Amino acid sequence: MDLEGKILILEDEVKKLKNEKKDPWDVLQILGGLLIPAAIAFAGWQYSVAMKDAEIKSSTKIAKLQIESSEQKAEFEQRISETNARVSQAGLVASFLKSLLSKEEAEQKLAIEAVLIALPAEGPRLVKLLKESGEKEGVKKFASDSLSNFRNTLVAQFFSTEKPERSEAYARLQSSFQNDASIIPELIAGGRQNPDNFNAVFNLLVFLSHMNKDALRPYVKEIAEYSREVEGNGDKTKERAEKLRNRLPSS
């Protein structure tokens, strides 16, 4: 069955679920078998398009006997890499979903720990769903504690004195909590606890600048206050702090 057919089936199932008033976890259990194949099919389609695009570009380059700029080549290779990553990510979600929905509590707990490590973007969302809609109280508490520990670890690494750790934490926070307003107080608290880590403080201003305005709205006052506190770290930080304040939504 092609992707369009899978999507039509998925739409029909969603309508049925709405009529039956299923809760979010029931929805995940019933639609999991359709969502994952559709996601993989979609990612595969993107990969196919990218490869066809590559063949066309290659033929054109050969015909012209000239190579386009290295920047364009690098950009195209990045697109291929990102598509491959999406295909791989979809496959990982499919492999973990069965364990997350298992009737065995131990298997669910192991899957919770695994998805937080292996799936930077989807993992926290799946764990949050288990935390809110899981059937077993023990699993729900484990999911809540695991998600909290995951966040705390990333925030601590965000303010590491080691650049590789800071960079990795920034990337994972961006994937998992880019538009989660609840992470803002934790990050600001971390910034105040590490005032001499100028690189991490600057990264924090950048991170906040890239968040959705709706996520920033509940903490406009706190963000503005913190941005003024760190302006004395240098011209670069002051400029970034001003940009952040200019981007803040009106309360």
Side-chain angles (χ1 to χ4, degrees):
M1 183 182 296
D2 60 16
L3 178 60
E4 184 177 354
K6 291 179 182 293
I7 292 175
L8 290 174
I9 292 175
L10 184 58
E11 289 176 346
D12 289 340
E13 293 295 331
V14 170
K15 290 177 182 177
K16 292 177 183 178
L17 288 169
K18 287 181 177 178
N19 292 334
E20 296 174 9
K21 297 182 178 179
K22 298 283 186 181
D23 64 37
W25 196 242
D26 288 330
V27 172
L28 179 59
Q29 290 178 301
I30 294 172
L31 296 186
L34 290 170
L35 285 169
I36 300 306
I40 295 174
F42 178 68
W45 172 77
Q46 286 187 314
Y47 182 80
S48 176
V49 170
M51 294 305 296
K52 287 181 180 178
D53 194 16
E55 292 175 2
I56 294 172
K57 285 191 175 185
S58 297
S59 298
T60 302
K61 288 177 183 179
I62 293 173
K64 292 181 178 179
L65 296 177
Q66 131 180 19
I67 299 177
E68 294 181 336
S69 70
S70 59
E71 290 82 2
Q72 289 175 313
K73 181 180 178 182
E75 180 183 354
F76 176 70
E77 290 176 347
Q78 179 64 23
R79 286 175 55 201
I80 294 294
S81 176
E82 290 173 354
T83 301
N84 284 333
R86 285 195 292 270
V87 173
S88 176
Q89 195 86 335
L92 280 172
V93 172
S95 66
F96 283 123
L97 192 58
K98 181 179 178 181
S99 293
L100 286 171
L101 298 174
S102 173
K103 297 296 184 182
E104 298 295 329
E105 188 168 320
E107 183 177 355
Q108 282 187 290
K109 290 180 177 179
L110 184 61
I112 287 170
E113 292 183 332
V115 296
L116 288 175
I117 296 172
L119 302 172
E122 287 79 4
R125 297 190 191 109
L126 290 171
V127 174
K128 185 178 181 181
L129 185 57
L130 260 177
K131 167 189 169 184
E132 296 172 349
S133 306
E135 297 177 353
K136 302 182 183 72
E137 290 301 320
V139 172
K140 290 170 69 173
K141 184 178 186 306
F142 186 84
S144 178
D145 292 344
S146 297
L147 194 58
S148 178
N149 292 336
F150 177 72
R151 288 164 59 113
N152 292 340
T153 298
L154 289 183
V155 170
Q157 291 178 344
F158 191 94
F159 295 98
S160 170
T161 56
E162 301 297 326
K163 184 177 179 180
E165 282 192 21
R166 290 199 308 271
S167 298
E168 181 181 356
Y170 185 103
R172 300 206 70 169
L173 279 170
Q174 192 172 44
S175 296
S176 305
F177 303 102
Q178 177 69 53
N179 296 313
D180 185 345
S182 67
I183 199 71
I184 294 175
E186 296 177 41
L187 287 172
I188 291 179
R192 285 178 171 146
Q193 291 168 7
N194 299 273
D196 297 329
N197 192 335
F198 295 160
N199 290 321
V201 168
F202 181 82
N203 289 345
L204 173 53
L205 297 176
V206 174
F207 183 88
L208 294 172
S209 297
H210 291 166
M211 292 188 76
N212 184 286
K213 287 189 176 183
D214 288 336
L216 298 175
R217 196 178 304 279
Y219 299 100
V220 167
K221 181 180 178 181
E222 292 85 347
I223 294 170
E225 288 177 353
Y226 178 71
S227 70
R228 291 189 176 91
E229 290 175 16
V230 300
E231 282 186 335
N233 288 4
D235 292 341
K236 185 179 177 182
T237 299
K238 182 177 181 180
E239 180 182 358
R240 173 53 65 175
E242 290 174 348
K243 286 183 178 179
L244 172 58
R245 288 197 298 272
N246 289 335
R247 192 176 180 278
L248 291 175
S250 55
S251 56

